[in-house]
Amino acid sequence: MPFLKIIFLFLGSVLVISCSKSTDQVNISGQEFHSGTFISNGDTLNSKNGSNGRTIKGTLKSGQTYYLNSLFADATINAGDTLVIQSGVTVLIDGPLTGTGAIGTQDHAPGIVVNGTFLSIGTKANPVLFTVKDASLKSDPTKDPQDPNADPAFKGYWGGIQGGAGSGDIIIKWTRLEYLGGLTPLSAATRAGKARYGILVDNPGARFVLEDSWLYGSNNDMVRPAGCKYEILRNTFEKVGLSAGECVNVKSGSIGDIAYNLVVGGTGNAFKTANAGGLSPQSNMATYNNTIITTGYRQAKAGEGGSIDFENGGRGLAYNNFIVDCAYGLSVLGGGGATPAADTINISYGYTYNYGDNTTFTTQFLPAGFISVQKTGDINGGNNTTPGANNPLFVNYSLPRPNGTNFSEANYVGNYDFHLQSKSPAIGKGYTGFLPYAVVKKDAVFGVTEITSPGKDIGAFQADGSGNQH
């Protein structure tokens, strides 16, 4: 037998052996990544043989359906273990509608606690879905606009994705998560009995990716990076926070990019950074090319809670963002009050496109009590802007809004289309002379798919079709 043929046969044997050592090996089989064994279709992820809570690892198989049941405690991924969710998987939150164990009540809002690695890898054609099973619990879009206090979108039926202090990576792609913010168990060490954050990441050494996903309905913060390297790109946030909470609330130990996101109707800020928590590195966010619509109307704090906020030692940058009919414009806190100042030396911003229907909005483009100032490239940059000036000309979202609009209820996407018409004054007005932080590696499974560069147009939807894909 020729020498080279012997070598090739030997190498092939080594490869076969190395890929067959254990059922816990990670593999790419066919077109979908998987880890360990497949979890059976119809499995209850947070209970096995009646157990009150459960540890899970392995793979939820493409196209199959799984459950989290309110009668049981959290599902937990142990340190060193991995849970993979393939495309087209549906996870239904189930349980009694009334009585003991009713879904969403105290100690009956289970989540997934991540001490290992969590990978939800949907695709545009086949996204992953987390939602409640019973249709009677869901928000009825035909009733929009509706009173947030009566809208089931804010009820908090389940506990979301909770990364522990020693967690591995949390990677979420093309995934729709609904009805988050269920109550933390009374036995919890922190926030006992309070609404959980929809997604919490709490390890500065972990990588967190949230891209191309749709986040619908939460009781408090939808996403809290409380320690991680993060990329939050091209997502849609809808109906976030009943009376408090941000779409993304960045704390100490966290650094990353927040770009090309659409936010409609958040209760507080769309994006906020504050260096609270005592972790390293310093809280840092690069916010660029986001479209933020009607946020800040259910937040009690004056001046805080409307669009983009830097405070309490937070640092970063903000460019090319739309802020439309929000309670407050971009906010940089300069100190002198109960909340400490932002890291004002290390904050840069500009090329902000403000729009307001009336003087209630336009006189807060530069919020009172903050040190935000008009910057180069701003459109409608000051508080003397004429209401209705420089209509951004979205494809299907008429401005000004109808008389009598209740902006605390203007929190839904519906059939609106926030792409730009060809004559929009936002086209070509973006600033591209900076770089994303790009702190997470590019990888189809274990990293970010694409870090979209700063756009030449303002907002999340670029005229060339790039940016947000919803």
Side-chain angles (χ1 to χ4, degrees), residues 201-414:
V201 192
D202 193 20
N203 178 9
R207 292 172 295 193
F208 170 49
V209 172
L210 178 66
E211 61 177 35
D212 298 305
S213 294
W214 199 300
L215 300 101
Y216 177 88
S218 70
N219 189 271
N220 202 295
D221 287 351
M222 182 64 86
V223 179
R224 179 168 284 213
C228 60
K229 297 176 178 65
Y230 63 87
E231 299 294 340
I232 300 172
L233 306 172
R234 304 179 303 277
N235 305 288
T236 296
F237 294 84
E238 181 179 7
K239 297 190 177 183
V240 173
L242 179 58
S243 60
E246 272 73 48
C247 294
V248 182
N249 192 346
V250 180
K251 300 301 183 186
S252 67
S254 305
I255 177 172
D257 300 303
I258 303 173
Y260 293 97
N261 299 286
L262 170 65
V263 173
V264 181
T267 186
N269 291 288
F271 314 119
K272 170 183 172 181
T273 180
N275 194 46
L279 299 177
S280 181
Q282 182 180 357
S283 174
N284 196 343
M285 68 178 188
T287 53
Y288 63 92
N289 284 101
N290 298 289
T291 297
I292 305 168
I293 311 291
T294 61
T295 66
Y297 294 100
R298 298 184 299 277
Q299 171 72 274
K301 297 179 182 178
E304 177 187 341
S307 53
I308 299 171
D309 181 80
F310 296 89
E311 63 176 55
N312 193 9
R315 65 187 298 184
L317 61 85
Y319 290 106
N320 305 340
N321 296 296
F322 258 124
I323 300 175
V324 176
D325 280 342
C326 293
Y328 302 99
L330 190 153
S331 304
V332 179
L333 190 61
T339 302
D343 180 4
T344 56
I345 295 175
N346 292 300
I347 296 171
S348 61
Y349 58 96
Y351 295 83
T352 302
Y353 196 132
N354 295 294
Y355 173 88
D357 279 343
N358 56 58
T359 56
T360 301
F361 308 133
T362 59
T363 56
Q364 292 294 335
F365 286 165
L366 303 176
F370 290 74
I371 63 169
S372 313
V373 296
Q374 186 169 349
K375 291 283 190 173
T376 300
D378 286 353
I379 296 176
N380 298 341
N383 286 348
N384 294 322
T385 298
T386 302
N390 292 306
N391 188 324
L393 298 180
F394 295 123
V395 167
N396 181 28
Y397 186 77
S398 61
L399 291 168
R401 302 306 295 154
N403 289 334
T405 295
N406 183 339
F407 285 93
S408 70
E409 298 178 357
N411 52 25
Y412 59 95
V413 175

